[in-house]
Amino acid sequence: MRAKGLATAGLGIALGLVLLASAAGAQTAAPTRDDIVGKLNHFEEAAEVDLPALKQQVMERAKARIKNDPGPVNRPLIAPDLAKLPAFNAQIQFDADTPIIQPASYQTVGRIADALVHSSLLPYTFLIVGHVESNSKTREANAILSQRRADAIRDVLVNTFKISTKRLHPIGLGEEQLLDRAKPTSAVNGQLQILTYARLPEEPAHPAAAPAPAAKKPAKKR
């Protein structure tokens, strides 16, 4: 009886572990292409954001040692206009403190690539926005890491999936624009965002080439 009870308990534990693993797998399942397209195809107008200036502001603010810094919960967003853009938040796993993408996230990156070449999104450019949650690192280190991670995603999309580089603009915001300011250390704040940024400029139409003049026939000899 004791052996039977132990076997039953063991079976129950095993089933519990299977259920937990299934739940975890469901939570980390890669989004579908249509999920991503649905998040990004509601573009209305471009945000008033100067990207080179924003990159400089991120580094300057991250380096600053402000005496009365309000802290991450009350610190103002560095680029609030970005919140107006259609966004897809991706849980991309990187090796600790590096821009190296973990294999578990390859499928998600592939689905992002599939979405960006969907017919409804081809007319647009996109921001790849890196974030890092508040942690024991300095804000400057987190800003640098977030830029390197955004660059890494751009490089994979361009080099592996052949997305045009002119459609992708990577920028790292570190912990200067937390996605959940109420919980600065939450893993949510480490998510990477894809934002629909602007319409691609229309290429000028090329005038139709004039037809080549007909070749003259040689004069007949009399």
Side-chain angles (χ1 to χ4, degrees), residues 36 40 88-95 98-114 116 126-131 144-165 167-172 190-195:
I36 301 170
L40 296 179
F88 169 70
N89 293 9
Q91 189 66 52
I92 304 293
Q93 302 294 329
F94 296 91
D95 285 353
T98 79
I100 299 172
I101 304 165
Q102 292 187 359
S105 293
Y106 290 171
Q107 188 177 37
T108 297
V109 178
R111 297 280 172 80
I112 291 170
D114 289 342
L116 297 186
F126 299 88
L127 296 182
I128 302 170
V129 185
H131 300 275
I144 293 170
L145 179 60
S146 67
Q147 182 65 57
R148 293 176 66 202
R149 287 178 170 176
D151 289 341
I153 296 296
R154 185 270 316 274
D155 291 345
V156 171
L157 291 174
V158 170
N159 298 327
T160 302
F161 297 100
K162 308 307 177 186
I163 307 297
S164 171
T165 188
R167 298 181 63 211
L168 304 173
H169 306 284
I171 184 164
Q191 290 181 338
L192 181 133
Q193 290 184 299
I194 307 294
L195 305 180

Side-chain angles (χ1 to χ4, degrees), residues 42-89:
H42 303 293
F43 179 82
E44 294 181 2
E45 60 179 316
E48 297 293 330
V49 178
D50 182 334
L51 292 179
L54 178 57
K55 288 183 180 182
Q56 183 175 350
Q57 290 165 14
V58 169
M59 292 309 304
E60 288 176 351
R61 195 168 95 164
K63 289 179 182 178
R65 299 292 181 265
I66 303 173
K67 185 175 181 181
N68 296 317
D69 179 22
V73 173
N74 298 312
R75 191 179 296 138
L77 302 179
I78 197 164
D81 281 353
L82 294 184
K84 302 175 184 177
L85 297 175
F88 169 70
N89 293 9

Side-chain angles (χ1 to χ4, degrees), residues 117-137:
V117 295
H118 187 272
S119 58
S120 65
L121 296 182
L122 280 176
Y124 300 103
T125 63
F126 299 88
L127 296 182
I128 302 170
V129 185
H131 300 275
V132 178
E133 69 273 17
S134 290
N135 51 39
S136 60
K137 308 291 183 185

